Amino acid sequence: MKIVVDRDLCEGLGMCESMAHEYFEVDDDDVMHVLNENPPEEDRKMITAAVNSCPVLALKIEG
Ligand code: SF4
């Protein structure tokens, strides 16, 4: 599983971070960083919740 971010869409709103802070971090300049692009299968539920929380649909899961 791979986390993919559409940088043109992401506005650094941080919903993903609040759902899965082990994987997403928004810095002081509102730039979101993916801390680990390849989560283990056991975290799929949490990553899916984070992806679905993004209000601008900037996240998706591949694989
Ligand atoms: S919730 Fe969406 S817009 Fe907000 S930081 Fe995450 S990916 Fe970017």
Side-chain angles (χ1 to χ4, degrees):
M1 162 174 41
K2 183 171 188 243
I3 298 171
V4 179
V5 187
D6 186 332
R7 291 285 165 196
D8 292 336
L9 292 177
C10 177
E11 294 178 7
L13 301 170
M15 307 302 279
C16 53
E17 181 182 32
S18 63
M19 298 298 285
H21 60 266
E22 296 95 331
Y23 291 99
F24 304 96
E25 186 174 83
V26 179
D27 69 17
D28 293 342
D29 295 320
D30 290 342
V31 176
M32 190 276 283
H33 302 274
V34 179
L35 304 177
N36 175 3
E37 283 188 334
N38 299 104
E41 194 58 35
E42 68 205 45
D43 284 344
R44 182 178 289 270
K45 216 170 162 183
M46 177 171 52
I47 300 300
T48 301
V51 166
N52 290 339
S53 77
C54 177
V56 294
L57 307 178
L59 294 175
K60 67 177 177 180
I61 296 171
E62 281 180 358

